Amino acid sequence: MSETTIPSSAPPAGGSVGRNAWVALGVLWFIYVLNFLDRQLLSILAKPIQDALNITDGQLGLLGGLYFAFFYCFIAIPVGWLADRTNRVWVVSIACGIWSAATVAFGLSKNFGQLAASRMSVAFGEAGGVPPSYAIITDYFPPGRRGMALGIYNLGPPVGAALGIAFGASIAAAFSWRDAFIAIGAIGIVVALITPFLVKEPRRGGLDQSAVAPTDAPLAPAPATPAKAPFWGTAKSFFANPVLVLASLGSGVTQIVTYGLGNFAVLFLMREKGMQLNDVALWYALVVAIGMGGGIFASGYLIDRHTKRSKTAYALLPAISLSIALPFYIAFVWAPTWPLALVLMLGPNFLNYFYLSSSVALVQEEVRPNQRVMSGALLLLVMNFIGMGVGPTYVGAASDWFRTTHPENSLQIALYTLIPVYLVAIALFLWLSRVIARRLKTEAAR
């Protein structure tokens, strides 16, 4: 599989955005929708899966947390290295086919061991979807338009989650939870087959400046034909850059909340708030689509607007949004009824995800174009291994532990224990803003 650069399909120079860029963004966005839809089906259909296979909250946490995160995060690194040196579109297409086939296998599983094997295979495939897509989009959209483009792309998770809730819960209610996994996996296989015909590989760094800057500079433009980036050199540069490390850590700690809540919210609402599967298919889907989708879209717009004034906005926007989200989160967990809980959940769903577009855009602009896939994979490694690995695993284990003394509300207590995590995430993003501000001050004094 060799790299193919097609000049006629390359994005136009300057600040304009051509049709091919929007087509590429649309296709990659839809693949991300399927990516997150496949991933979220487990949390959406947790209760019928529990009832059918008699698995615990802790086992659910392992399936959606540590088992998934281990494969997802560490496979993303070699996949990122491969995509930086080959055709990124083909990497995305093959990855989509792998995770979709694994989703079908999950629907056919008969016990926890088979569920775990299928889930890890889903993670194996999904590891190749997002990092190459970040880099493809960055090479289709010029600086100053990337925050919005990546914000649109990052609408994939809320749309995927909302569609998963609506269709997954509806299919499960009408037929069975197995049919939901099989149907959605089949759609993904078809999309994987047609992707290379719709998206062309853009030239790496084609819309960046002509000079090459150091890897730790705020913006690292590229030569017209960038050399292939070394694996260990890229990793060393990434972890030697305090801006990239803090952005990854802040995002990872934030994801402890988002994945911890996201993997158990439906089970929490059904088991402890009295919600039914049909209610989930309609009302919870709307809350996720409006809240998470609106927050991610708004964050992309605000990033493009405020980072033109100061790069500290990459850190301050997530810090501010998480500070506002915290009281809404506490109220959501406390709410005595599911309708009130859903209304209050709009707050954290809207505000919890400002970090995503911010950190992705910051990392993509912080490194050389030929390091973007690998650097995106390293970002995902850190933030997903912390967030995805710890969040669901911890919440599930905590719920099992609290059930011995509080059988009626063990998940509620487990979710309350995520409150200090918000404070740590806010502190990390404020620290990041100080590091960026010091760098800007040093550069201005030169």
Side-chain angles (χ1 to χ4, degrees):
M1 185 170 57
S2 61
E3 180 179 356
T4 303
T5 300
I6 303 176
S8 61
S9 66
S16 61
V17 178
R19 176 179 176 273
N20 288 323
W22 293 111
V23 171
L25 178 59
V27 173
L28 294 173
W29 172 83
F30 186 69
I31 291 174
Y32 201 11
V33 168
L34 291 175
N35 178 309
F36 214 81
L37 198 160
D38 290 353
R39 190 187 308 177
Q40 290 299 300
L41 276 179
L42 173 63
S43 61
I44 295 161
L45 302 177
K47 193 171 189 307
I49 293 172
Q50 269 193 332
D51 294 342
L53 300 180
N54 194 31
I55 59 178
T56 67
D57 288 355
Q59 289 175 315
L60 278 175
L62 287 171
L63 289 174
L66 187 61
Y67 292 170
F68 188 94
F70 182 83
F71 274 78
Y72 183 86
C73 295
F74 287 101
I75 294 299
I77 301 304
V79 168
W81 175 83
L82 176 66
D84 266 334
R85 306 173 71 85
T86 60
N87 188 299
R88 295 166 293 184
V89 175
W90 275 102
V91 171
V92 173
S93 176
I94 292 169
C96 180
I98 292 173
W99 84 59
S100 299
T103 299
V104 174
F106 191 94
L108 299 174
S109 299
K110 303 295 185 182
N111 53 52
F112 178 74
Q114 293 176 0
L115 290 176
S118 300
R119 192 67 176 168
M120 288 185 284
S121 299
V122 170
F124 183 92
E126 289 191 11
V130 179
S133 296
Y134 285 157
I136 293 168
I137 293 168
T138 301
D139 282 336
Y140 264 112
F141 288 82
R145 304 290 296 274
R146 290 169 179 166
M148 179 60 73
L150 290 168
I152 292 172
Y153 176 70
N154 283 325
L155 286 172
V159 174
L163 289 177
I165 295 160
F167 291 106
S170 297
I171 293 171
F175 301 100
S176 78
W177 64 269
R178 297 184 185 278
D179 295 322
F181 282 92
I182 294 169
I184 292 169
I187 293 172
I189 293 172
V190 174
V191 172
L193 293 173
I194 65 174
T195 294
F197 299 98
L198 299 176
V199 181
K200 303 302 181 183
E201 178 78 1
R203 183 162 62 90
R204 285 171 167 84
L207 297 183
D208 292 293
Q209 306 295 327
S210 58
V212 179
T215 55
D216 61 350
L219 293 174
T225 306
K228 291 177 171 60
F231 181 92
W232 292 113
T234 301
K236 182 178 178 180
S237 296
F238 186 96
F239 289 108
N241 189 330
V243 169
L244 300 181
V245 172
L246 283 172
S248 302
L249 291 175
S251 299
V253 174
T254 303
Q255 284 193 342
I256 293 176
V257 175
T258 59
Y259 277 110
L261 173 62
N263 276 262
F264 285 96
V266 172
L267 185 61
F268 172 60
L269 290 167
M270 291 183 68
R271 196 169 72 195
E272 298 188 14
K273 304 289 186 183
M275 205 173 187
Q276 300 299 312
L277 202 55
N278 288 330
D279 297 322
V280 171
L282 175 61
W283 299 113
Y284 185 70
L286 286 174
V287 167
V288 170
I290 294 170
M292 193 190 307
I296 290 177
F297 186 81
S299 68
Y301 169 77
L302 291 172
I303 288 163
D304 277 345
R305 179 176 179 181
H306 291 286
T307 53
K308 292 176 182 177
R309 303 175 186 174
S310 174
K311 299 296 181 184
T312 58
Y314 282 121
L316 288 176
L317 282 172
I320 293 169
S321 68
L322 291 172
S323 299
I324 301 172
L326 180 55
F328 284 99
Y329 174 80
I330 296 171
F332 157 74
V333 178
W334 161 84
T337 64
W338 69 259
L340 178 59
L342 282 183
V343 172
L344 293 168
M345 195 180 187
L346 281 168
N349 265 8
F350 184 87
L351 295 161
N352 277 354
Y353 294 91
F354 274 50
Y355 79 93
L356 186 56
S357 296
S358 181
S359 294
V360 169
L362 176 59
V363 169
Q364 293 295 300
E365 293 206 355
E366 185 79 5
V367 302
R368 293 190 179 106
N370 64 338
Q371 296 176 320
R372 280 176 175 153
V373 180
M374 179 67 175
S375 297
L378 288 167
L379 170 68
L380 292 177
L381 166 67
V382 177
M383 71 181 190
N384 284 333
F385 195 70
I386 295 172
M388 191 190 302
V390 175
T393 306
Y394 165 74
V395 172
S399 178
D400 282 351
W401 191 78
F402 286 121
R403 182 170 291 187
T404 57
T405 54
H406 298 79
E408 301 300 320
N409 65 332
S410 61
L411 261 177
Q412 181 184 47
I413 299 173
L415 291 173
Y416 270 133
T417 64
L418 292 178
I419 292 172
V421 181
Y422 267 102
L423 303 178
V424 175
I426 293 166
L428 285 168
F429 280 114
L430 290 175
W431 186 4
L432 173 60
S433 72
R434 292 188 62 185
V435 171
I436 295 174
R438 283 200 303 266
R439 172 189 286 182
L440 294 173
K441 185 177 179 180
T442 300
E443 291 172 354
R446 288 175 181 172

